[in-house]
Amino acid sequence: MGDIIKLLPDAIANQIAAGEVVQRPASVVKELMENAIDAGAGSVKLIVKDSGKTLIQVIDDGCGMSPMDARMSFERHATSKIREAGDLFSIRTMGFRGEALASIAAVAQVELRSRRATDELGTRLLVEGSEVKLQEAHPCAPGSQFAVRNLFYNVPARRNFLKSNQVEMRHILDEFQRIAMANPDIFFSLHHNNEELFHLPVGNLRQRIIGLLGQNYNQRLVPVEEETEILKIVGFVGKPEFAKKTRGEQYLFVNNRFIKSHVLHHAIVGAYEDLLAKENNPLYVLFLELDPRHIDVNVHPTKQEIKFDDEKLVYNYIHATVRHGLGKHHVTPSLNFDRENDFVPLPSATSSSYSVDTVSSSLNSRPERVGQSYTEDRMPGVKTPADRREANNLRHWGSLYEGLRRPAQPLDTEGSSTFLPDEPVGEPLTIRSEWTEGRRIGIEMPAGHREPYQLHNTYIVSPIKSGFCLIDQQSAHERILFERYQKMLASQQGLSQQQLFARTFSLPPAEALLLREMLPQLRALGFDIEPAELHSFAIKGLPADVAGKQDEQQLIGQLLEQYRNEHDLKLGQADRLAAAMAKSGAIRRGQVLTTIEMKNIIDQLFACELPSWSPSGRRCYVTYNLDDINSHFDA
């Protein structure tokens, strides 16, 4: 049997290596822009056509290359930055492996024009499939111009795996924003299909963030800064109230290199303790500078993952720095031990307007003169804070229990009233309903019963013949709206309510691109939105069932965030949009409902095709059997 192990041809080896570096058009953008920065460019211009599938062009005014350097730059492992193994641990440049251009040239048609400022003529080089087709002297401006055409033209299987133009363009925007964010001292511009999306003049970091994310981000930024002998941290974090459920506004740089680190992200989010909901992610743009000897960037081909020699130390530094920055700018809550928290008397039992709501509002009210208690005025001789607290306790403890056994005011005009939990109610509360699907799902309503009622302004309690049904009002409403919007999208007959005056608003480029992608289906739901200049849109009409209920721009922002969230549910585009609309428009937990509203939710929920689950996978209702309830009280 002969030898079977042989060396791969260079063309095949280069294509295999390219798979590690060039995954999509955004990978090419990243490598070419980083090369431009390493060349000392003060201006970088990115031109893209068809989301990079047809053309990716990067023009810089850097140092340029000699004819020999231009030819050598396309060879594998040819680099100007590494001379010996020890250099791997003192890297401060973006590219250093010498793989990028060789990998790109293996799967695309590449044209390079480059000239040094001291040369009269530059060089023009054409490379296709790793093969040099042409090299000649050429007049051009100082710097380098790379044009990458027809990416994956010779690997059709890889090209077929590319996503839609909108998705690929969003990845390009991500890479462009990261590089531009890290280099505010360089001019950047981005053109897509002859339209300028970004024009970023030289400025400071705050100006660059606003230029990339939008003018409204100026008020969201909290500066943080800390410098020690080991580590320097500078940048901005976002105010807690602007945190989002989706990721994408988190930028972490080490020695000006964008990285991804779950550990450091956890440190930053941990600094927001008690300020954020569990699922929310704050905005941050943070730059860490430390000796390159303490990190290893040669971990992954994309160089977005690095290793620290003491990750725990970096974790503690960044956590403390962010926490200190939030506290310094009065974002974190603080305790004032000089202020006295007095008891506020509840309404008297004889008050004719007594109800659970008035109890809640009175508990949230404060004395008119902050810092001065009632007892200073009404109980002379009480001097110390301890004396005042004791006097208040003695004076007001009884009022906490006054009137708790009194019935609240009727909630409707039909004579029914709501009782507090310890009020004897006699027979179980039942309601009459029009549930059209009740028998189909095994729920049978009794012949006569009272109205449904709310539990903690979150659940709807409705007795049924076999016990009672507990309905999650938000999940139920999401299911109702989801199926309604599904039908609208299928029929293309959403009702629109026209606005008296069109309202114009702007979005960050990535969100503007996503909204443009969604416009045809939004119109089917009843939205009348037209693109305006650059990243702006004009709202001329809204769906009839949401018009006037909330701010239009806020609604669009929530819709975009929910739409991105639904990617994890493996739904089609139409269903993702319907789910996003349902979640944005549904009533919330904690919202008070009238009896009529509760009845409508019950009737509409059990008329749905799938009433048991919300589109996000939460239960809409749970039934409790009377026999099971009785078993808890049997001896």
Side-chain angles (χ1 to χ4, degrees):
M1 181 175 178
D3 298 331
I4 61 174
I5 297 179
K6 298 183 183 298
L7 288 174
L8 285 172
D10 288 342
I12 298 177
N14 286 341
Q15 288 187 9
I16 294 173
E20 297 181 351
V21 179
V22 184
Q23 301 172 358
R24 58 189 347 137
S27 305
V28 177
V29 169
K30 175 181 183 296
E31 299 295 347
L32 295 183
M33 291 186 68
E34 287 182 346
N35 283 347
I37 293 170
D38 287 344
S43 171
V44 179
K45 183 177 181 180
L46 173 62
I47 300 172
V48 177
K49 290 186 178 179
D50 298 328
S51 301
K53 297 175 182 178
T54 301
L55 172 68
I56 299 171
Q57 186 174 10
V58 174
I59 304 172
D60 69 66
D61 60 354
C63 62
M65 289 182 281
S66 67
M68 179 59 71
D69 285 345
R71 176 66 183 82
M72 287 295 295
S73 67
F74 287 94
E75 297 295 329
R76 287 183 57 76
H77 304 303
T79 176
S80 62
K81 294 141 186 186
I82 302 295
R83 290 291 180 265
E84 56 186 25
D87 293 340
L88 287 172
F89 300 97
S90 58
I91 292 170
R92 288 192 176 275
T93 57
M94 297 296 103
F96 58 89
R97 294 170 179 245
E99 293 178 290
L101 293 182
S103 297
I104 294 169
V107 292
Q109 298 166 336
V110 182
E111 179 182 4
L112 166 62
R113 300 181 185 185
S114 184
R115 179 171 77 86
R116 295 180 297 187
T118 56
D119 295 338
E120 292 185 2
L121 287 175
T123 299
R124 178 171 178 257
L125 199 66
L126 297 179
V127 185
E128 292 184 13
S130 298
E131 183 181 348
V132 176
K133 299 292 187 181
L134 172 69
Q135 183 171 5
E136 63 180 5
H138 188 80
C140 55
S144 299
Q145 302 179 31
F146 281 92
V148 178
R149 296 182 172 88
N150 302 319
L151 186 63
F152 300 130
Y153 80 99
N154 56 349
V155 193
R158 292 288 302 277
R159 189 174 181 90
N160 291 337
F161 275 94
L162 294 178
K163 305 297 182 182
S164 66
N165 284 353
Q166 292 84 356
V167 172
E168 295 299 339
M169 191 59 200
R170 286 206 298 271
H171 285 286
I172 291 175
L173 285 174
D174 287 342
E175 294 294 350
F176 178 87
Q177 288 179 322
R178 293 164 184 169
I179 295 173
M181 192 89 71
N183 299 277
D185 56 336
I186 299 176
F187 168 83
F188 288 92
S189 67
L190 169 59
H191 294 74
H192 181 228
N193 292 341
N194 300 320
E195 179 184 0
E196 187 175 42
L197 301 183
F198 284 104
H199 186 90
L200 304 171
V202 174
N204 57 37
L205 179 58
R206 180 185 282 270
Q207 291 170 332
R208 180 55 53 89
I209 293 172
I210 294 170
L212 287 167
L213 302 183
Q215 185 64 39
N216 57 338
Y217 278 74
N218 188 31
Q219 60 177 337
R220 307 182 183 187
L221 301 177
V222 176
V224 295
E225 183 174 1
E226 192 69 45
E227 185 170 3
T228 69
E229 295 179 355
I230 302 174
L231 178 68
K232 179 181 179 182
I233 304 173
V234 296
F236 295 90
V237 295
K239 295 179 180 178
E241 59 266 31
F242 297 105
K244 298 180 180 179
K245 292 183 179 180
T246 52
R247 301 274 299 263
E249 295 182 348
Q250 292 74 42
Y251 300 89
L252 186 61
F253 302 87
V254 174
N255 293 346
N256 256 34
R257 183 190 304 278
F258 175 81
I259 69 164
K260 295 178 180 179
S261 172
H262 296 294
V263 174
L264 298 187
H265 175 75
H266 184 271
I268 297 168
V269 174
Y272 283 81
E273 185 179 5
D274 301 327
L275 296 175
L276 288 179
K278 184 178 180 180
E279 67 276 7
N280 284 358
N281 296 284
L283 159 74
Y284 57 79
V285 182
L286 293 178
F287 291 82
L288 283 65
E289 291 185 19
L290 69 164
D291 193 324
R293 293 175 297 177
H294 297 306
I295 60 175
D296 182 6
V297 299
N298 194 27
V299 175
H300 191 271
T302 63
K303 301 183 286 291
Q304 289 186 359
E305 298 178 11
I306 68 175
K307 288 183 179 179
F308 298 90
D309 60 0
D310 192 346
E311 193 169 57
K312 185 175 181 181
L313 180 66
V314 177
Y315 180 100
N316 291 333
Y317 268 126
I318 197 169
H319 178 92
T321 300
V322 174
R323 189 72 177 174
H324 176 70
L326 292 172
K328 184 179 179 181
H329 292 84
H330 310 292
V331 176
T332 57
S334 59
L335 295 176
N336 185 353
F337 292 99
D338 296 327
R339 176 175 174 176
E340 180 178 352
N341 295 316
D342 298 316
F343 282 103
V344 181
L346 296 175
S348 66
T350 58
S351 172
S352 60
S353 60
Y354 175 78
S355 69
V356 175
D357 291 334
T358 58
V359 173
S360 175
S361 61
S362 65
L363 284 171
N364 292 328
S365 64
R366 307 302 306 158
E368 292 183 3
R369 291 181 289 172
V370 176
Q372 183 178 19
S373 68
Y374 289 148
T375 52
E376 287 183 311
D377 296 332
R378 301 180 183 178
M379 301 183 69
V382 177
K383 301 297 184 184
T384 67
D387 291 337
R388 289 196 296 269
R389 283 194 292 271
E390 183 177 359
N392 270 301
N393 291 344
L394 291 173
R395 178 178 178 84
H396 296 302
W397 74 269
S399 63
L400 290 173
Y401 298 94
E402 289 179 3
L404 288 182
R405 294 185 177 273
R406 294 178 59 85
Q409 287 297 99
L411 294 180
D412 54 49
T413 58
E414 298 177 3
S416 63
S417 50
T418 302
F419 293 88
L420 294 170
D422 58 351
E423 186 74 16
V425 295
E427 298 179 357
L429 184 64
T430 55
I431 66 169
R432 176 175 56 84
S433 176
E434 301 288 338
W435 294 4
T436 58
E437 299 291 318
R439 297 184 182 275
R440 178 177 61 82
I441 61 173
I443 296 178
E444 187 174 353
M445 303 304 298
H449 44 270
R450 300 182 185 176
E451 310 295 356
Y453 62 92
Q454 265 185 305
L455 182 63
H456 298 299
N457 295 335
T458 301
Y459 303 102
I460 300 172
V461 180
S462 175
I464 57 178
K465 190 171 183 179
S466 60
F468 72 91
C469 183
L470 190 64
I471 300 171
D472 184 322
Q473 63 188 41
Q474 180 172 336
S475 297
H477 200 210
E478 283 182 26
R479 166 52 61 180
I480 294 167
L481 294 179
F482 176 67
E483 295 198 6
R484 181 186 302 172
Y485 294 136
Q486 276 185 316
K487 294 175 182 176
M488 286 184 184
L489 289 168
S491 64
Q492 301 285 308
Q493 293 181 350
L495 297 178
S496 178
Q497 180 173 314
Q498 294 297 302
Q499 305 290 87
L500 186 59
F501 300 102
R503 179 177 178 180
T504 303
F505 66 96
S506 299
L507 290 172
E511 293 189 0
L513 191 68
L514 179 60
L515 184 58
R516 287 175 183 267
E517 178 186 345
M518 297 164 56
L519 281 180
Q521 291 178 313
L522 285 174
R523 293 190 181 102
L525 290 172
F527 285 92
D528 187 359
I529 301 176
E530 295 294 337
E533 58 185 25
L534 204 53
H535 312 308
S536 299
F537 298 85
I539 302 178
K540 300 180 179 180
L542 293 171
D545 55 349
V546 300
K549 294 184 179 180
Q550 66 182 106
D551 179 78
E552 299 96 329
Q553 187 172 352
Q554 183 182 9
L555 174 63
I556 297 297
Q558 291 176 355
L559 183 58
L560 290 172
E561 184 173 356
Q562 295 298 338
Y563 182 80
R564 288 194 297 267
N565 282 342
E566 303 307 325
H567 275 288
D568 296 333
L569 298 179
K570 309 300 182 185
L571 300 174
Q573 187 178 36
D575 286 345
R576 284 209 314 272
L577 181 56
M581 273 290 293
K583 196 157 190 176
S584 297
I587 60 175
R588 296 289 182 257
R589 296 176 183 89
Q591 182 173 335
V592 179
L593 302 178
T594 65
T595 304
I596 294 176
E597 288 172 334
M598 286 186 280
K599 285 181 176 180
N600 287 337
I601 288 177
I602 293 171
D603 291 343
Q604 293 176 31
L605 174 64
F606 292 104
C608 290
E609 292 293 328
L610 296 171
S612 299
W613 302 92
S614 74
S616 56
R618 290 179 57 94
R619 279 188 176 274
C620 293
Y621 70 93
V622 179
T623 58
Y624 291 87
N625 190 281
L626 192 58
D627 292 337
D628 294 335
I629 298 171
N630 290 336
S631 67
H632 291 291
F633 300 95
D634 291 340

